[in-house]
Amino acid sequence: MYIPKYFKVTNVDEIWDFVQKNSFGTIVTTEQGKPIATHLPLQLIKEGDTYYITGHMAFGNPQWRTFETCEGALVMFQGPHAYISSSWYEEENVPTWNYQAVHVYGTASILNEEELKQDLTMLLQKYEKHRKNPVLWDKLSPQLLEKQLKGIVGFKIKVQEIQATNKLSQNRNEEDYHNIVNKLYEEKDLNSQQMAQLMERKLKKDKKA
């Protein structure tokens, strides 16, 4: 991923926090030279000093068959993004787009049944524990679980390289930055609103640092 120096993120804790909060990712591998991708909810697992991205996909999805034959996998995570009009700048310039993204590179392998069960247990815990009537692994019938397990394949990707960018108008002057935030708040779409909030939080954080 091309990342200008203004926007590069190197803080590992910050990157993994972003991944945890934006965990619906895209996995890309290749089959006979052709890129293929799947969009999935994913988890970040740490074992000692090693990080893994874990998840599962349908047995009928041919991508899982590439995991142990291709040279590597790319996992992409994306946060809020928004169009930035150059009319919001003090001086003449061109429009751009603000966004957050993380690329994770690694090698993939298939989970055995026990590892898959453990991963699914954690996934349900993450998304169900706060609900009024949580659907947790131990509350589901063995018959249903056995049937569903036959239809999916679990996997893990051992993280070997991380690339991260926060393109949040850091290269603009203070007046432009404040104006961009204000203009984004005036936009009606959710992404623009989220980007404005993100930029505002970043400004406050930088001032405290």
Side-chain angles (χ1 to χ4, degrees), residues 89-132:
Y89 298 157
E90 189 177 16
E91 297 181 2
E92 184 182 26
N93 210 312
V94 294
T96 189
W97 209 282
N98 278 5
Y99 65 95
Q100 290 183 297
V102 169
H103 285 189
V104 176
Y105 297 86
T107 53
S109 58
I110 304 300
L111 299 178
N112 62 39
E113 186 172 304
E114 286 306 311
E115 290 172 329
L116 175 57
K117 288 179 180 179
Q118 183 179 1
D119 197 62
L120 292 171
T121 299
M122 290 189 295
L123 187 67
L124 285 173
Q125 180 73 13
K126 178 180 179 179
Y127 291 106
E128 289 284 343
K129 65 181 180 181
H130 65 282
R131 301 184 186 278
K132 187 176 181 181

Side-chain angles (χ1 to χ4, degrees), residues 17-189:
D17 181 63
F18 173 85
V19 168
Q20 296 276 34
K21 292 176 179 177
N22 298 274
S23 55
F24 190 80
T26 303
I27 298 178
V28 181
T29 56
T30 58
E31 184 178 33
Q32 297 181 347
K34 179 182 179 180
I36 52 177
T38 303
H39 308 274
L40 294 167
L42 301 166
Q43 298 193 88
L44 175 66
I45 307 297
K46 186 179 181 182
E47 296 179 2
D49 295 328
T50 304
Y51 288 91
Y52 294 91
I53 301 295
T54 66
H56 65 276
M57 60 178 60
F59 182 84
N61 185 336
Q63 187 177 16
W64 68 265
R65 300 182 187 278
T66 70
F67 285 169
E68 294 184 321
T69 58
C70 66
E71 292 185 2
L74 165 63
V75 188
M76 298 182 289
F77 300 93
Q78 184 171 313
H81 58 91
Y83 176 78
I84 307 299
S85 172
S86 57
S87 66
W88 301 343
Y89 298 157
E90 189 177 16
E91 297 181 2
E92 184 182 26
N93 210 312
V94 294
T96 189
W97 209 282
N98 278 5
Y99 65 95
Q100 290 183 297
V102 169
H103 285 189
V104 176
Y105 297 86
T107 53
S109 58
I110 304 300
L111 299 178
N112 62 39
E113 186 172 304
E114 286 306 311
E115 290 172 329
L116 175 57
K117 288 179 180 179
Q118 183 179 1
D119 197 62
L120 292 171
T121 299
M122 290 189 295
L123 187 67
L124 285 173
Q125 180 73 13
K126 178 180 179 179
Y127 291 106
E128 289 284 343
K129 65 181 180 181
H130 65 282
R131 301 184 186 278
K132 187 176 181 181
N133 297 299
V135 180
L136 299 174
W137 182 265
D138 57 3
K139 291 186 176 182
L140 294 169
S141 69
Q143 294 82 3
L144 175 64
L145 293 175
E146 183 179 358
K147 179 181 178 181
Q148 293 301 317
L149 283 171
K150 291 179 180 178
I152 60 175
V153 177
F155 60 87
K156 64 179 180 181
I157 297 171
K158 184 179 181 180
V159 177
Q160 297 174 323
E161 182 183 354
I162 316 164
Q163 298 175 352
T165 181
N166 282 350
K167 186 175 180 294
L168 306 174
S169 298
Q170 298 97 314
N171 57 330
R172 307 307 307 179
N173 62 46
E174 187 173 352
E175 185 174 343
D176 281 351
Y177 194 95
H178 282 290
N179 198 44
I180 291 167
V181 171
N182 292 334
K183 292 296 184 181
L184 284 170
Y185 272 124
E186 294 175 6
E187 300 289 290
K188 303 301 180 184
D189 64 288

